[in-house]
């Protein structure tokens, strides 16, 4: 029995109707997400924009909301990030390269791999507790920039390791074979080929890790960052030889999210505006880092195509 | 010259003696005995999975890059008679004397110049003059110099597939290898690029020994002096190319070259 053209058209219309329903649901889901984010950001901007000024960046926190600023917070965040990067980048990239290029593939390296993946999902406060026990009490680093930076480095280490491994895995085996066939050693292959060809992916991973670290509060509170700091750590750069100074590593500190947390928890409305303003600054810092990551990825993808 | 280092009255460059190779538990090469004449082209033919590429890759120890691979027996390289698959021989030493050109052109994502220079840099050769000279010589050797002499510092990926493959040949030549291995070097190329690479191989045998794996029997007939036919990990027949293609002694060889299987 052959269906008539009429029936066929009816069936097509029905199928197209289902298609439209899904398109509609998808559209609503996307819109809800975007609108919520936009509202959040606009609300933050409306509250905070009035407080953002040059003085906001150059003032210490204060009892008077109009005079309070984020100088100690943003300087603290930058210093902590330097420590985090200095610790997480060599350790993470080194471990990633070792696991991917050098380590034999056996049950033990598989176990390590699984556990690195698990570590990436461990709640950040756990890293805070680890850092408290290890760096504050055991190594006696105190409640310092060094401790905060190392705590965050632990937190993002799995992210950096995984990003490094992903990036290295994307390099076709034919490149390794070409290098080895010319008589290169493993290290020559790694330094002349593996690292240069995966550097885009590795940098992207590092920045994504860093932009996660910059907003973390829990581990920083756990290791005992202060909430009210009206002085800066000693400057890392000196006018006299040897020009560098590492006393800042041991200085007490605060960071942006803690400063925000401190302001939000006060009863006065005016402090809440400060928190919103600091929120904008933190958000912009994060967005800039993500933009940089996207730019780097784009640039290296364009340069190297397999 | 003693008789053991001769075959068909020619000097032999390398010789497999009872060579066995295993991928884990899989016995891929079964007791191969095989001689490679110096400054000749020797072709390895056979159906897919017969082990010809596996055999070729033994010559520069490519199998060492992957776990659970195992060699047994020996491949001797003359004149010094080192066993290139021996445990006591450093694969890097072997690869510095025996170069390889792969199936798919695999230039590094670097400039044309840096691609050719890489083998020299690996050896710690620094002087710009020496490297310039060797790069030019290798590119001339690979019949590529005239096409690229004005754009040596361009990215190698901007070249055509055929040019990329000749670049890979130049890269392999730069380090003055004694043996050059080709693993189906033209299977990813169009007919014109293929004929250029074939001419090049014939030209190159004046200076070095060539071992080539090919799927293309006309190619083996055109460019090789000797041909070995392999089947499921064994060497079925070996002889000079004319004899193999016109009067094979084994039935299996005949069936393969007449296209009845494979």
């Amino acid at each position: 029995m052959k269906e008539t053209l009429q029936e066929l058209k009816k069936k097509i219309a029905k199928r197209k109707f289902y298609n439209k329903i899904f398109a509609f649901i998808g559209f609503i889901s996307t819109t809800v997400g975007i609108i919520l984010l936009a509202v959040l950001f606009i609300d933050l901007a409306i509250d905070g924009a009035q407080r953002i000024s040059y003085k906001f960046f150059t003032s210490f926190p204060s009892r008077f909301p109009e005079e309070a600023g984020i100088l100690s917070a943003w300087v603290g965040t930058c210093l902590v990030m330097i420590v985090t990067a200095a610790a997480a980048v060599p350790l993470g990239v080194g471990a990633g390269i070792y696991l991917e290029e050098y380590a034999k593939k056996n049950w033990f390296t598989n176990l390590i791999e699984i556990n690195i993946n698990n570590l990436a999902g461990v709640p950040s406060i756990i890293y805070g507790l680890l850092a408290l026990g290890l760096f504050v009490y055991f190594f006696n680093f105190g409640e310092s920039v060094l401790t905060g930076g190392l705590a965050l480095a632990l937190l993002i280490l799995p992210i950096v390791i995984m990003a490094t491994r992903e990036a290295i895995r994307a390099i076709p085996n034919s490149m390794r074979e070409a290098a080895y066939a010319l008589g290169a050693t493993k290290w020559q292959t790694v330094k002349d080929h593996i690292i240069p060809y995966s550097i885009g992916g590795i940098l992207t991973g590092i920045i994504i890790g860093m932009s996660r670290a910059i907003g973390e509060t829990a581990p920083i509170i756990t290791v005992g960052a202060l909430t009210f700091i009206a002085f800066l750590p000693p400057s890392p750069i000196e006018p006299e030889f040897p020009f560098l100074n590492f006393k800042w590593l041991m200085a007490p500190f605060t960071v942006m999210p803690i400063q925000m947390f401190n302001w939000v928890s006060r009863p006065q409305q005016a402090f809440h505006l400060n928190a919103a303003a600091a929120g904008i600054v933190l958000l912009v810092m994060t967005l800039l880092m993500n933009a940089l990551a996207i730019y780097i990825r784009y640039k290296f993808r364009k340069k190297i195509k397999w | 010259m003693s008789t053991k280092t001769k075959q068909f009255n020619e000097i032999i460059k390398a010789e497999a003696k009872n060579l066995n190779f295993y991928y884990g538990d899989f016995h891929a090469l079964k007791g191969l005995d095989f001689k490679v004449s110096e400054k000749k082209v020797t072709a390895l033919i056979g159906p897919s999975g017969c082990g010809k590429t596996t055999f070729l890759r033994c010559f520069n120890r490519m199998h060492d890059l992957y776990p659970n691979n195992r060699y047994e027996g020996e491949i001797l390289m003359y004149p010094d008679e080192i066993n290139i698959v021996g445990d006591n021989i450093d694969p890097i030493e072997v690869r510095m004397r025996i170069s390889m050109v792969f199936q798919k052109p695999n230039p590094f994502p670097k400039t044309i110049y840096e691609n050719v220079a890489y083998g020299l840099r690996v050896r710690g050769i620094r002087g710009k003059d020496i490297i310039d000279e060797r790069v030019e010589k290798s590119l001339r050797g690979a019949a590529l110099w005239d096409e690229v002499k004005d754009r040596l510092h361009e990215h190698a990926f901007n070249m055509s597939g055929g040019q990329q493959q000749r670049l890979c040949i130049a890269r392999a030549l730069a380090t003055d290898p004694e043996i050059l291995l080709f693993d189906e070097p033209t299977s990813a190329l169009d007919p014109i690029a293929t004929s250029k690479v074939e001419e090049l191989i014939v030209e190159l045998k004046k200076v070095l020994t060539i071992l080539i794996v090919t799927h293309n029997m006309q190619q083996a007939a055109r460019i090789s002096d000797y041909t070995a036919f392999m089947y499921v990990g064994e060497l079925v027949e070996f002889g000079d190319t004319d004899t193999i293609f016109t009067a094979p002694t084994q039935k299996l060889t005949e069936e393969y070259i007449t296209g009845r299987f494979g």
Side-chain angles (χ1 to χ4, degrees), chain B residues 25-67:
Chain B
D25 293 331
F26 178 64
H27 193 180
L29 298 178
K30 298 167 189 164
L32 298 188
D33 288 298
F34 182 82
K35 288 177 183 167
V36 184
S37 295
E38 192 173 66
K39 295 186 181 168
K40 296 286 171 195
V41 177
T42 305
L44 296 167
I45 61 168
S48 299
C50 71
K52 54 195 189 302
T53 295
T54 303
F55 183 39
L56 189 79
R57 287 165 69 94
C58 289
F59 278 82
N60 68 343
R61 297 281 291 267
M62 274 288 122
H63 297 301
D64 289 42
L65 300 179
Y66 305 96

Side-chain angles (χ1 to χ4, degrees), chain A residues 76-262:
Chain A
T77 286
C78 291
L79 293 178
V80 167
M81 283 298 115
I82 290 173
V83 175
T84 303
V89 170
L91 287 180
V93 174
I97 291 173
Y98 178 79
L99 287 172
E100 212 47 48
E101 293 295 318
Y102 286 84
K104 289 213 167 67
K105 305 278 177 282
N106 55 28
W107 64 271
F108 187 64
T109 43
N110 281 340
L111 192 75
I112 290 175
E113 165 149 29
I114 292 167
N115 280 302
I116 289 171
N117 290 339
N118 286 337
L119 282 179
V122 168
S124 57
I125 192 145
I126 308 286
Y127 287 100
L129 285 175
L130 172 64
L132 184 68
L134 192 65
F135 303 131
V136 180
Y137 295 135
F138 187 76
F139 287 119
N140 270 325
F141 291 160
E143 288 140 12
S144 60
V145 171
L146 182 62
T147 303
L150 291 178
L152 293 181
L154 283 182
L155 178 75
I156 69 168
L157 203 51
I159 301 175
V160 177
I161 294 176
M162 287 199 294
T164 304
R165 299 188 67 178
E166 286 302 310
I168 289 177
R169 254 180 240 163
I171 300 173
N173 241 345
S174 60
M175 286 299 125
R176 292 181 186 86
E177 291 193 348
Y180 287 125
L182 289 167
T185 60
K186 205 153 235 184
W187 167 239
Q188 285 174 323
T189 308
V190 165
K191 118 182 120 70
D192 298 332
H193 303 283
I194 303 300
I195 294 176
Y197 307 161
S198 60
I199 192 76
I202 293 176
L203 284 175
T204 311
I206 290 170
I207 293 168
I208 286 169
M210 297 288 282
S211 67
R212 157 130 194 240
I214 205 173
E216 276 298 337
T217 323
I220 295 286
I221 291 180
T222 317
V223 299
L226 301 178
T227 47
F228 188 95
I229 285 201
F231 56 87
L232 286 182
S235 165
I237 302 161
E238 281 184 336
E240 292 117 36
F241 189 80
F243 306 112
L244 287 175
N245 172 341
F246 290 102
K247 280 186 200 128
W248 57 275
L249 281 172
M250 289 307 178
F253 70 106
T254 191
V255 291
M256 296 286 294
I258 290 184
Q259 184 65 68
M260 285 172 64
F261 176 67
N262 174 254

Side-chain angles (χ1 to χ4, degrees), chain A residues 281-301:
Chain A
V281 175
L282 187 58
L283 208 58
V284 169
M285 281 174 151
T286 314
L287 288 180
L288 279 179
M289 286 171 84
N290 284 337
L292 184 66
I294 292 168
Y295 173 74
I296 289 174
R297 190 159 42 190
Y298 167 76
K299 206 156 170 220
F300 280 90
R301 287 249 171 98

